[in-house]
Amino acid sequence: MKLASNYPGTRTVAVNYYLKSLKIYKDTKDLYSAADEYYQMGVVAQEQQQLDVAVDYYFKALKIYEDAKGLYSAASIYHQLGMLAEDQQGFAEAIEYYQKGWEVFEKFHDWYKASAILWKCGRVLEAQENYSGALQIYICVLAIGLQHNQDWIGYQTDNLARMLKQLGESQFQAIWRKATSGECAGEVREAIWTARDRLG
């Protein structure tokens, strides 16, 4: 279920709906569905910047998912907790949650979500000015994109272009060779270098 509006009135209606659904699921001991409602209420609280409330809901959902061995659902919670930590500049915590989510999505071969959460790991490293680490992540994201998420190639090229600008060509190529056992060449190189030049 996806929240479709950012209007406060709509969010209030959504929370009331989730609370009613939560009571029904708890009364019928349908804990897994209750966890879904906790998750949705966490998303609403996060959108409203009620971060402590969001964390509380997420952890309630997470406990149910983990107890039920619902790893895929738990991975969505790891993703949200990672974003919360990142927003508060808790970078080490954010990386930990993102890595947990990545491992699950990779296991389930959900490459769309896997690459999205891996990209956020790179974003955290980039925010810490760990450009070499971010580049290694972005190379992995590109590899997934070339095989599974062609629509994202433009964004991935821009990520790599920023790292090229920060690191310079020599260090960029050295990291690329280590990560891929080959040179950054051909159309991929041209796209990255062109994007770098657009950055000014």
Side-chain angles (χ1 to χ4, degrees), residues 89-124:
Q89 296 190 326
F91 294 134
E93 185 179 8
I95 287 287
E96 182 179 348
Y97 281 126
Y98 287 149
Q99 286 180 334
K100 284 184 176 180
W102 152 256
E103 289 169 3
V104 174
F105 291 136
E106 181 190 32
K107 178 179 179 180
F108 282 85
H109 295 169
D110 186 337
W111 299 115
Y112 183 90
K113 290 184 178 180
S115 58
I117 205 167
L118 193 60
W119 167 73
K120 287 176 181 171
C121 285
R123 185 175 68 184
V124 171

PDB file of all heavy atoms in Angstrom, residues 89-124:
ATOM      1  N   GLN A  89      22.092  12.307   9.970  1.00  0.00           N
ATOM      2  CA  GLN A  89      23.547  12.206   9.831  1.00  0.00           C
ATOM      3  C   GLN A  89      24.149  11.114  10.718  1.00  0.00           C
ATOM      4  O   GLN A  89      25.310  11.198  11.113  1.00  0.00           O
ATOM      5  CB  GLN A  89      24.211  13.558  10.097  1.00  0.00           C
ATOM      6  CG  GLN A  89      23.813  14.618   9.077  1.00  0.00           C
ATOM      7  CD  GLN A  89      24.639  15.876   9.169  1.00  0.00           C
ATOM      8  OE1 GLN A  89      25.051  16.291  10.252  1.00  0.00           O
ATOM      9  NE2 GLN A  89      24.902  16.499   8.030  1.00  0.00           N
ATOM     10  N   GLY A  90      23.356  10.110  10.994  1.00  0.00           N
ATOM     11  CA  GLY A  90      23.878   8.922  11.664  1.00  0.00           C
ATOM     12  C   GLY A  90      24.379   7.963  10.599  1.00  0.00           C
ATOM     13  O   GLY A  90      23.767   6.922  10.327  1.00  0.00           O
ATOM     14  N   PHE A  91      25.499   8.325   9.987  1.00  0.00           N
ATOM     15  CA  PHE A  91      25.932   7.650   8.774  1.00  0.00           C
ATOM     16  C   PHE A  91      26.294   6.181   8.986  1.00  0.00           C
ATOM     17  O   PHE A  91      25.966   5.324   8.162  1.00  0.00           O
ATOM     18  CB  PHE A  91      27.104   8.405   8.146  1.00  0.00           C
ATOM     19  CG  PHE A  91      26.734   9.774   7.645  1.00  0.00           C
ATOM     20  CD1 PHE A  91      27.528  10.876   7.919  1.00  0.00           C
ATOM     21  CD2 PHE A  91      25.573   9.972   6.909  1.00  0.00           C
ATOM     22  CE1 PHE A  91      27.182  12.137   7.456  1.00  0.00           C
ATOM     23  CE2 PHE A  91      25.213  11.236   6.443  1.00  0.00           C
ATOM     24  CZ  PHE A  91      26.027  12.323   6.722  1.00  0.00           C
ATOM     25  N   ALA A  92      26.986   5.868  10.076  1.00  0.00           N
ATOM     26  CA  ALA A  92      27.369   4.474  10.328  1.00  0.00           C
ATOM     27  C   ALA A  92      26.122   3.603  10.508  1.00  0.00           C
ATOM     28  O   ALA A  92      26.041   2.486   9.986  1.00  0.00           O
ATOM     29  CB  ALA A  92      28.274   4.382  11.556  1.00  0.00           C
ATOM     30  N   GLU A  93      25.147   4.125  11.234  1.00  0.00           N
ATOM     31  CA  GLU A  93      23.894   3.395  11.451  1.00  0.00           C
ATOM     32  C   GLU A  93      23.140   3.236  10.135  1.00  0.00           C
ATOM     33  O   GLU A  93      22.570   2.170   9.861  1.00  0.00           O
ATOM     34  CB  GLU A  93      23.043   4.144  12.469  1.00  0.00           C
ATOM     35  CG  GLU A  93      21.759   3.423  12.859  1.00  0.00           C
ATOM     36  CD  GLU A  93      20.948   4.187  13.884  1.00  0.00           C
ATOM     37  OE1 GLU A  93      21.299   5.347  14.181  1.00  0.00           O
ATOM     38  OE2 GLU A  93      19.953   3.621  14.379  1.00  0.00           O
ATOM     39  N   ALA A  94      23.136   4.293   9.324  1.00  0.00           N
ATOM     40  CA  ALA A  94      22.447   4.228   8.033  1.00  0.00           C
ATOM     41  C   ALA A  94      23.055   3.146   7.153  1.00  0.00           C
ATOM     42  O   ALA A  94      22.329   2.333   6.555  1.00  0.00           O
ATOM     43  CB  ALA A  94      22.528   5.586   7.328  1.00  0.00           C
ATOM     44  N   ILE A  95      24.382   3.106   7.080  1.00  0.00           N
ATOM     45  CA  ILE A  95      25.062   2.091   6.272  1.00  0.00           C
ATOM     46  C   ILE A  95      24.711   0.691   6.765  1.00  0.00           C
ATOM     47  O   ILE A  95      24.452  -0.222   5.966  1.00  0.00           O
ATOM     48  CB  ILE A  95      26.593   2.295   6.325  1.00  0.00           C
ATOM     49  CG1 ILE A  95      26.994   3.528   5.507  1.00  0.00           C
ATOM     50  CG2 ILE A  95      27.318   1.062   5.816  1.00  0.00           C
ATOM     51  CD1 ILE A  95      26.907   3.354   4.011  1.00  0.00           C
ATOM     52  N   GLU A  96      24.667   0.522   8.076  1.00  0.00           N
ATOM     53  CA  GLU A  96      24.351  -0.799   8.641  1.00  0.00           C
ATOM     54  C   GLU A  96      22.964  -1.261   8.210  1.00  0.00           C
ATOM     55  O   GLU A  96      22.781  -2.412   7.790  1.00  0.00           O
ATOM     56  CB  GLU A  96      24.437  -0.745  10.168  1.00  0.00           C
ATOM     57  CG  GLU A  96      24.183  -2.072  10.846  1.00  0.00           C
ATOM     58  CD  GLU A  96      24.302  -2.005  12.354  1.00  0.00           C
ATOM     59  OE1 GLU A  96      24.801  -0.980  12.873  1.00  0.00           O
ATOM     60  OE2 GLU A  96      23.896  -2.978  13.028  1.00  0.00           O
ATOM     61  N   TYR A  97      21.985  -0.366   8.294  1.00  0.00           N
ATOM     62  CA  TYR A  97      20.624  -0.733   7.893  1.00  0.00           C
ATOM     63  C   TYR A  97      20.535  -0.962   6.389  1.00  0.00           C
ATOM     64  O   TYR A  97      19.897  -1.919   5.935  1.00  0.00           O
ATOM     65  CB  TYR A  97      19.634   0.350   8.316  1.00  0.00           C
ATOM     66  CG  TYR A  97      19.260   0.297   9.776  1.00  0.00           C
ATOM     67  CD1 TYR A  97      19.396   1.425  10.594  1.00  0.00           C
ATOM     68  CD2 TYR A  97      18.754  -0.863  10.352  1.00  0.00           C
ATOM     69  CE1 TYR A  97      19.048   1.387  11.936  1.00  0.00           C
ATOM     70  CE2 TYR A  97      18.404  -0.910  11.699  1.00  0.00           C
ATOM     71  CZ  TYR A  97      18.551   0.222  12.481  1.00  0.00           C
ATOM     72  OH  TYR A  97      18.208   0.175  13.803  1.00  0.00           O
ATOM     73  N   TYR A  98      21.174  -0.103   5.611  1.00  0.00           N
ATOM     74  CA  TYR A  98      21.132  -0.270   4.162  1.00  0.00           C
ATOM     75  C   TYR A  98      21.771  -1.592   3.743  1.00  0.00           C
ATOM     76  O   TYR A  98      21.279  -2.278   2.840  1.00  0.00           O
ATOM     77  CB  TYR A  98      21.844   0.891   3.467  1.00  0.00           C
ATOM     78  CG  TYR A  98      21.099   2.210   3.478  1.00  0.00           C
ATOM     79  CD1 TYR A  98      21.800   3.421   3.484  1.00  0.00           C
ATOM     80  CD2 TYR A  98      19.705   2.255   3.462  1.00  0.00           C
ATOM     81  CE1 TYR A  98      21.122   4.642   3.481  1.00  0.00           C
ATOM     82  CE2 TYR A  98      19.032   3.463   3.469  1.00  0.00           C
ATOM     83  CZ  TYR A  98      19.750   4.657   3.474  1.00  0.00           C
ATOM     84  OH  TYR A  98      19.086   5.865   3.465  1.00  0.00           O
ATOM     85  N   GLN A  99      22.858  -1.955   4.389  1.00  0.00           N
ATOM     86  CA  GLN A  99      23.519  -3.220   4.045  1.00  0.00           C
ATOM     87  C   GLN A  99      22.630  -4.411   4.369  1.00  0.00           C
ATOM     88  O   GLN A  99      22.576  -5.385   3.601  1.00  0.00           O
ATOM     89  CB  GLN A  99      24.855  -3.326   4.772  1.00  0.00           C
ATOM     90  CG  GLN A  99      25.939  -2.427   4.192  1.00  0.00           C
ATOM     91  CD  GLN A  99      27.264  -2.541   4.925  1.00  0.00           C
ATOM     92  OE1 GLN A  99      27.320  -2.889   6.100  1.00  0.00           O
ATOM     93  NE2 GLN A  99      28.340  -2.229   4.226  1.00  0.00           N
ATOM     94  N   LYS A 100      21.930  -4.345   5.493  1.00  0.00           N
ATOM     95  CA  LYS A 100      20.996  -5.423   5.833  1.00  0.00           C
ATOM     96  C   LYS A 100      19.911  -5.546   4.762  1.00  0.00           C
ATOM     97  O   LYS A 100      19.557  -6.656   4.335  1.00  0.00           O
ATOM     98  CB  LYS A 100      20.350  -5.154   7.196  1.00  0.00           C
ATOM     99  CG  LYS A 100      21.243  -5.425   8.394  1.00  0.00           C
ATOM    100  CD  LYS A 100      20.456  -5.211   9.683  1.00  0.00           C
ATOM    101  CE  LYS A 100      21.290  -5.561  10.902  1.00  0.00           C
ATOM    102  NZ  LYS A 100      20.525  -5.366  12.167  1.00  0.00           N
ATOM    103  N   GLY A 101      19.378  -4.406   4.358  1.00  0.00           N
ATOM    104  CA  GLY A 101      18.350  -4.439   3.321  1.00  0.00           C
ATOM    105  C   GLY A 101      18.881  -4.953   2.000  1.00  0.00           C
ATOM    106  O   GLY A 101      18.229  -5.761   1.323  1.00  0.00           O
ATOM    107  N   TRP A 102      20.076  -4.520   1.630  1.00  0.00           N
ATOM    108  CA  TRP A 102      20.708  -4.975   0.384  1.00  0.00           C
ATOM    109  C   TRP A 102      20.854  -6.489   0.366  1.00  0.00           C
ATOM    110  O   TRP A 102      20.563  -7.146  -0.634  1.00  0.00           O
ATOM    111  CB  TRP A 102      22.064  -4.303   0.215  1.00  0.00           C
ATOM    112  CG  TRP A 102      23.059  -5.097  -0.564  1.00  0.00           C
ATOM    113  CD1 TRP A 102      24.117  -5.805  -0.072  1.00  0.00           C
ATOM    114  CD2 TRP A 102      23.100  -5.313  -1.992  1.00  0.00           C
ATOM    115  NE1 TRP A 102      24.801  -6.432  -1.083  1.00  0.00           N
ATOM    116  CE2 TRP A 102      24.200  -6.140  -2.265  1.00  0.00           C
ATOM    117  CE3 TRP A 102      22.308  -4.863  -3.042  1.00  0.00           C
ATOM    118  CZ2 TRP A 102      24.529  -6.547  -3.560  1.00  0.00           C
ATOM    119  CZ3 TRP A 102      22.636  -5.259  -4.339  1.00  0.00           C
ATOM    120  CH2 TRP A 102      23.731  -6.082  -4.579  1.00  0.00           C
ATOM    121  N   GLU A 103      21.322  -7.053   1.466  1.00  0.00           N
ATOM    122  CA  GLU A 103      21.552  -8.500   1.530  1.00  0.00           C
ATOM    123  C   GLU A 103      20.252  -9.273   1.290  1.00  0.00           C
ATOM    124  O   GLU A 103      20.258 -10.311   0.617  1.00  0.00           O
ATOM    125  CB  GLU A 103      22.170  -8.873   2.880  1.00  0.00           C
ATOM    126  CG  GLU A 103      23.614  -8.405   3.030  1.00  0.00           C
ATOM    127  CD  GLU A 103      24.135  -8.534   4.447  1.00  0.00           C
ATOM    128  OE1 GLU A 103      23.385  -9.048   5.311  1.00  0.00           O
ATOM    129  OE2 GLU A 103      25.281  -8.105   4.700  1.00  0.00           O
ATOM    130  N   VAL A 104      19.158  -8.769   1.834  1.00  0.00           N
ATOM    131  CA  VAL A 104      17.874  -9.455   1.656  1.00  0.00           C
ATOM    132  C   VAL A 104      17.373  -9.309   0.224  1.00  0.00           C
ATOM    133  O   VAL A 104      16.988 -10.292  -0.424  1.00  0.00           O
ATOM    134  CB  VAL A 104      16.823  -8.916   2.643  1.00  0.00           C
ATOM    135  CG1 VAL A 104      15.455  -9.544   2.349  1.00  0.00           C
ATOM    136  CG2 VAL A 104      17.239  -9.203   4.076  1.00  0.00           C
ATOM    137  N   PHE A 105      17.385  -8.079  -0.288  1.00  0.00           N
ATOM    138  CA  PHE A 105      16.876  -7.870  -1.649  1.00  0.00           C
ATOM    139  C   PHE A 105      17.727  -8.617  -2.676  1.00  0.00           C
ATOM    140  O   PHE A 105      17.200  -9.124  -3.673  1.00  0.00           O
ATOM    141  CB  PHE A 105      16.835  -6.380  -1.976  1.00  0.00           C
ATOM    142  CG  PHE A 105      15.790  -5.613  -1.203  1.00  0.00           C
ATOM    143  CD1 PHE A 105      16.085  -4.379  -0.633  1.00  0.00           C
ATOM    144  CD2 PHE A 105      14.509  -6.129  -1.044  1.00  0.00           C
ATOM    145  CE1 PHE A 105      15.124  -3.677   0.076  1.00  0.00           C
ATOM    146  CE2 PHE A 105      13.545  -5.433  -0.335  1.00  0.00           C
ATOM    147  CZ  PHE A 105      13.855  -4.199   0.230  1.00  0.00           C
ATOM    148  N   GLU A 106      19.031  -8.696  -2.435  1.00  0.00           N
ATOM    149  CA  GLU A 106      19.893  -9.475  -3.327  1.00  0.00           C
ATOM    150  C   GLU A 106      19.513 -10.955  -3.268  1.00  0.00           C
ATOM    151  O   GLU A 106      19.429 -11.628  -4.296  1.00  0.00           O
ATOM    152  CB  GLU A 106      21.358  -9.292  -2.936  1.00  0.00           C
ATOM    153  CG  GLU A 106      22.327 -10.054  -3.840  1.00  0.00           C
ATOM    154  CD  GLU A 106      23.744 -10.067  -3.308  1.00  0.00           C
ATOM    155  OE1 GLU A 106      23.914 -10.062  -2.069  1.00  0.00           O
ATOM    156  OE2 GLU A 106      24.680 -10.108  -4.124  1.00  0.00           O
ATOM    157  N   LYS A 107      19.267 -11.444  -2.065  1.00  0.00           N
ATOM    158  CA  LYS A 107      18.902 -12.847  -1.892  1.00  0.00           C
ATOM    159  C   LYS A 107      17.617 -13.181  -2.651  1.00  0.00           C
ATOM    160  O   LYS A 107      17.494 -14.260  -3.245  1.00  0.00           O
ATOM    161  CB  LYS A 107      18.717 -13.157  -0.400  1.00  0.00           C
ATOM    162  CG  LYS A 107      18.297 -14.578  -0.097  1.00  0.00           C
ATOM    163  CD  LYS A 107      18.160 -14.814   1.402  1.00  0.00           C
ATOM    164  CE  LYS A 107      17.717 -16.225   1.710  1.00  0.00           C
ATOM    165  NZ  LYS A 107      17.571 -16.457   3.179  1.00  0.00           N
ATOM    166  N   PHE A 108      16.676 -12.233  -2.656  1.00  0.00           N
ATOM    167  CA  PHE A 108      15.398 -12.450  -3.334  1.00  0.00           C
ATOM    168  C   PHE A 108      15.434 -12.029  -4.809  1.00  0.00           C
ATOM    169  O   PHE A 108      14.427 -12.093  -5.500  1.00  0.00           O
ATOM    170  CB  PHE A 108      14.279 -11.698  -2.606  1.00  0.00           C
ATOM    171  CG  PHE A 108      13.790 -12.383  -1.357  1.00  0.00           C
ATOM    172  CD1 PHE A 108      14.428 -12.193  -0.148  1.00  0.00           C
ATOM    173  CD2 PHE A 108      12.708 -13.243  -1.408  1.00  0.00           C
ATOM    174  CE1 PHE A 108      13.987 -12.822   1.006  1.00  0.00           C
ATOM    175  CE2 PHE A 108      12.249 -13.888  -0.268  1.00  0.00           C
ATOM    176  CZ  PHE A 108      12.898 -13.679   0.957  1.00  0.00           C
ATOM    177  N   HIS A 109      16.601 -11.593  -5.272  1.00  0.00           N
ATOM    178  CA  HIS A 109      16.775 -11.163  -6.661  1.00  0.00           C
ATOM    179  C   HIS A 109      15.826 -10.023  -7.039  1.00  0.00           C
ATOM    180  O   HIS A 109      15.389  -9.936  -8.185  1.00  0.00           O
ATOM    181  CB  HIS A 109      16.601 -12.338  -7.633  1.00  0.00           C
ATOM    182  CG  HIS A 109      17.655 -13.388  -7.466  1.00  0.00           C
ATOM    183  ND1 HIS A 109      17.573 -14.618  -8.072  1.00  0.00           N
ATOM    184  CD2 HIS A 109      18.819 -13.395  -6.766  1.00  0.00           C
ATOM    185  CE1 HIS A 109      18.637 -15.342  -7.744  1.00  0.00           C
ATOM    186  NE2 HIS A 109      19.411 -14.611  -6.959  1.00  0.00           N
ATOM    187  N   ASP A 110      15.506  -9.172  -6.065  1.00  0.00           N
ATOM    188  CA  ASP A 110      14.730  -7.966  -6.349  1.00  0.00           C
ATOM    189  C   ASP A 110      15.743  -6.874  -6.675  1.00  0.00           C
ATOM    190  O   ASP A 110      16.154  -6.092  -5.816  1.00  0.00           O
ATOM    191  CB  ASP A 110      13.869  -7.561  -5.147  1.00  0.00           C
ATOM    192  CG  ASP A 110      12.935  -6.395  -5.470  1.00  0.00           C
ATOM    193  OD1 ASP A 110      13.245  -5.630  -6.420  1.00  0.00           O
ATOM    194  OD2 ASP A 110      11.915  -6.243  -4.776  1.00  0.00           O
ATOM    195  N   TRP A 111      16.156  -6.833  -7.937  1.00  0.00           N
ATOM    196  CA  TRP A 111      17.265  -5.959  -8.316  1.00  0.00           C
ATOM    197  C   TRP A 111      16.868  -4.492  -8.324  1.00  0.00           C
ATOM    198  O   TRP A 111      17.733  -3.617  -8.153  1.00  0.00           O
ATOM    199  CB  TRP A 111      17.815  -6.388  -9.672  1.00  0.00           C
ATOM    200  CG  TRP A 111      18.339  -7.785  -9.621  1.00  0.00           C
ATOM    201  CD1 TRP A 111      17.870  -8.879 -10.289  1.00  0.00           C
ATOM    202  CD2 TRP A 111      19.441  -8.253  -8.817  1.00  0.00           C
ATOM    203  NE1 TRP A 111      18.599  -9.996  -9.951  1.00  0.00           N
ATOM    204  CE2 TRP A 111      19.569  -9.643  -9.052  1.00  0.00           C
ATOM    205  CE3 TRP A 111      20.315  -7.647  -7.922  1.00  0.00           C
ATOM    206  CZ2 TRP A 111      20.539 -10.419  -8.435  1.00  0.00           C
ATOM    207  CZ3 TRP A 111      21.289  -8.421  -7.300  1.00  0.00           C
ATOM    208  CH2 TRP A 111      21.389  -9.786  -7.558  1.00  0.00           C
ATOM    209  N   TYR A 112      15.598  -4.203  -8.488  1.00  0.00           N
ATOM    210  CA  TYR A 112      15.152  -2.813  -8.431  1.00  0.00           C
ATOM    211  C   TYR A 112      15.398  -2.243  -7.035  1.00  0.00           C
ATOM    212  O   TYR A 112      16.038  -1.200  -6.863  1.00  0.00           O
ATOM    213  CB  TYR A 112      13.678  -2.732  -8.804  1.00  0.00           C
ATOM    214  CG  TYR A 112      13.119  -1.329  -8.840  1.00  0.00           C
ATOM    215  CD1 TYR A 112      13.162  -0.581 -10.014  1.00  0.00           C
ATOM    216  CD2 TYR A 112      12.545  -0.760  -7.714  1.00  0.00           C
ATOM    217  CE1 TYR A 112      12.641   0.708 -10.052  1.00  0.00           C
ATOM    218  CE2 TYR A 112      12.038   0.530  -7.739  1.00  0.00           C
ATOM    219  CZ  TYR A 112      12.087   1.256  -8.918  1.00  0.00           C
ATOM    220  OH  TYR A 112      11.588   2.530  -8.938  1.00  0.00           O
ATOM    221  N   LYS A 113      14.910  -2.940  -6.016  1.00  0.00           N
ATOM    222  CA  LYS A 113      15.088  -2.465  -4.649  1.00  0.00           C
ATOM    223  C   LYS A 113      16.530  -2.626  -4.178  1.00  0.00           C
ATOM    224  O   LYS A 113      17.033  -1.792  -3.413  1.00  0.00           O
ATOM    225  CB  LYS A 113      14.129  -3.205  -3.702  1.00  0.00           C
ATOM    226  CG  LYS A 113      12.676  -2.818  -3.898  1.00  0.00           C
ATOM    227  CD  LYS A 113      11.780  -3.487  -2.874  1.00  0.00           C
ATOM    228  CE  LYS A 113      10.328  -3.036  -3.052  1.00  0.00           C
ATOM    229  NZ  LYS A 113       9.416  -3.678  -2.065  1.00  0.00           N
ATOM    230  N   ALA A 114      17.180  -3.682  -4.645  1.00  0.00           N
ATOM    231  CA  ALA A 114      18.578  -3.896  -4.253  1.00  0.00           C
ATOM    232  C   ALA A 114      19.456  -2.746  -4.730  1.00  0.00           C
ATOM    233  O   ALA A 114      20.281  -2.217  -3.976  1.00  0.00           O
ATOM    234  CB  ALA A 114      19.085  -5.220  -4.815  1.00  0.00           C
ATOM    235  N   SER A 115      19.284  -2.347  -5.990  1.00  0.00           N
ATOM    236  CA  SER A 115      20.116  -1.267  -6.511  1.00  0.00           C
ATOM    237  C   SER A 115      19.755   0.065  -5.869  1.00  0.00           C
ATOM    238  O   SER A 115      20.625   0.905  -5.635  1.00  0.00           O
ATOM    239  CB  SER A 115      19.997  -1.183  -8.037  1.00  0.00           C
ATOM    240  OG  SER A 115      18.672  -0.974  -8.443  1.00  0.00           O
ATOM    241  N   ALA A 116      18.469   0.272  -5.544  1.00  0.00           N
ATOM    242  CA  ALA A 116      18.049   1.518  -4.906  1.00  0.00           C
ATOM    243  C   ALA A 116      18.691   1.673  -3.534  1.00  0.00           C
ATOM    244  O   ALA A 116      19.197   2.748  -3.175  1.00  0.00           O
ATOM    245  CB  ALA A 116      16.526   1.565  -4.788  1.00  0.00           C
ATOM    246  N   ILE A 117      18.701   0.603  -2.763  1.00  0.00           N
ATOM    247  CA  ILE A 117      19.247   0.690  -1.411  1.00  0.00           C
ATOM    248  C   ILE A 117      20.776   0.717  -1.446  1.00  0.00           C
ATOM    249  O   ILE A 117      21.418   1.384  -0.631  1.00  0.00           O
ATOM    250  CB  ILE A 117      18.718  -0.477  -0.539  1.00  0.00           C
ATOM    251  CG1 ILE A 117      18.747  -0.104   0.940  1.00  0.00           C
ATOM    252  CG2 ILE A 117      19.461  -1.774  -0.785  1.00  0.00           C
ATOM    253  CD1 ILE A 117      17.969  -1.066   1.829  1.00  0.00           C
ATOM    254  N   LEU A 118      21.358   0.058  -2.436  1.00  0.00           N
ATOM    255  CA  LEU A 118      22.813   0.103  -2.572  1.00  0.00           C
ATOM    256  C   LEU A 118      23.253   1.504  -2.979  1.00  0.00           C
ATOM    257  O   LEU A 118      24.278   2.011  -2.493  1.00  0.00           O
ATOM    258  CB  LEU A 118      23.269  -0.925  -3.608  1.00  0.00           C
ATOM    259  CG  LEU A 118      24.770  -1.228  -3.663  1.00  0.00           C
ATOM    260  CD1 LEU A 118      25.259  -1.767  -2.337  1.00  0.00           C
ATOM    261  CD2 LEU A 118      25.069  -2.223  -4.784  1.00  0.00           C
ATOM    262  N   TRP A 119      22.496   2.137  -3.867  1.00  0.00           N
ATOM    263  CA  TRP A 119      22.796   3.515  -4.255  1.00  0.00           C
ATOM    264  C   TRP A 119      22.809   4.430  -3.036  1.00  0.00           C
ATOM    265  O   TRP A 119      23.661   5.317  -2.918  1.00  0.00           O
ATOM    266  CB  TRP A 119      21.767   4.007  -5.268  1.00  0.00           C
ATOM    267  CG  TRP A 119      21.835   5.495  -5.474  1.00  0.00           C
ATOM    268  CD1 TRP A 119      22.801   6.191  -6.139  1.00  0.00           C
ATOM    269  CD2 TRP A 119      20.906   6.464  -4.977  1.00  0.00           C
ATOM    270  NE1 TRP A 119      22.524   7.544  -6.099  1.00  0.00           N
ATOM    271  CE2 TRP A 119      21.369   7.743  -5.385  1.00  0.00           C
ATOM    272  CE3 TRP A 119      19.725   6.379  -4.233  1.00  0.00           C
ATOM    273  CZ2 TRP A 119      20.691   8.915  -5.066  1.00  0.00           C
ATOM    274  CZ3 TRP A 119      19.051   7.559  -3.925  1.00  0.00           C
ATOM    275  CH2 TRP A 119      19.542   8.799  -4.336  1.00  0.00           C
ATOM    276  N   LYS A 120      21.888   4.189  -2.097  1.00  0.00           N
ATOM    277  CA  LYS A 120      21.846   5.026  -0.901  1.00  0.00           C
ATOM    278  C   LYS A 120      23.079   4.799  -0.026  1.00  0.00           C
ATOM    279  O   LYS A 120      23.548   5.729   0.638  1.00  0.00           O
ATOM    280  CB  LYS A 120      20.549   4.775  -0.128  1.00  0.00           C
ATOM    281  CG  LYS A 120      19.358   5.402  -0.842  1.00  0.00           C
ATOM    282  CD  LYS A 120      18.034   5.115  -0.177  1.00  0.00           C
ATOM    283  CE  LYS A 120      16.917   5.773  -1.003  1.00  0.00           C
ATOM    284  NZ  LYS A 120      15.590   5.369  -0.557  1.00  0.00           N
ATOM    285  N   CYS A 121      23.614   3.595  -0.025  1.00  0.00           N
ATOM    286  CA  CYS A 121      24.898   3.363   0.667  1.00  0.00           C
ATOM    287  C   CYS A 121      25.980   4.250   0.058  1.00  0.00           C
ATOM    288  O   CYS A 121      26.773   4.873   0.774  1.00  0.00           O
ATOM    289  CB  CYS A 121      25.318   1.898   0.540  1.00  0.00           C
ATOM    290  SG  CYS A 121      24.410   0.738   1.565  1.00  0.00           S
ATOM    291  N   GLY A 122      26.014   4.298  -1.274  1.00  0.00           N
ATOM    292  CA  GLY A 122      26.980   5.148  -1.948  1.00  0.00           C
ATOM    293  C   GLY A 122      26.763   6.609  -1.619  1.00  0.00           C
ATOM    294  O   GLY A 122      27.728   7.366  -1.415  1.00  0.00           O
ATOM    295  N   ARG A 123      25.511   7.009  -1.547  1.00  0.00           N
ATOM    296  CA  ARG A 123      25.181   8.402  -1.229  1.00  0.00           C
ATOM    297  C   ARG A 123      25.696   8.787   0.157  1.00  0.00           C
ATOM    298  O   ARG A 123      26.203   9.893   0.359  1.00  0.00           O
ATOM    299  CB  ARG A 123      23.669   8.591  -1.309  1.00  0.00           C
ATOM    300  CG  ARG A 123      23.196  10.024  -1.117  1.00  0.00           C
ATOM    301  CD  ARG A 123      21.704  10.135  -1.328  1.00  0.00           C
ATOM    302  NE  ARG A 123      20.936   9.447  -0.293  1.00  0.00           N
ATOM    303  CZ  ARG A 123      19.606   9.345  -0.305  1.00  0.00           C
ATOM    304  NH1 ARG A 123      18.924   9.846  -1.319  1.00  0.00           N
ATOM    305  NH2 ARG A 123      18.967   8.726   0.675  1.00  0.00           N
ATOM    306  N   VAL A 124      25.581   7.856   1.116  1.00  0.00           N
ATOM    307  CA  VAL A 124      26.081   8.123   2.472  1.00  0.00           C
ATOM    308  C   VAL A 124      27.600   8.272   2.456  1.00  0.00           C
ATOM    309  O   VAL A 124      28.158   9.190   3.075  1.00  0.00           O
ATOM    310  CB  VAL A 124      25.651   7.002   3.437  1.00  0.00           C
ATOM    311  CG1 VAL A 124      26.357   7.158   4.784  1.00  0.00           C
ATOM    312  CG2 VAL A 124      24.140   7.019   3.636  1.00  0.00           C
TER     313      VAL A 124
END
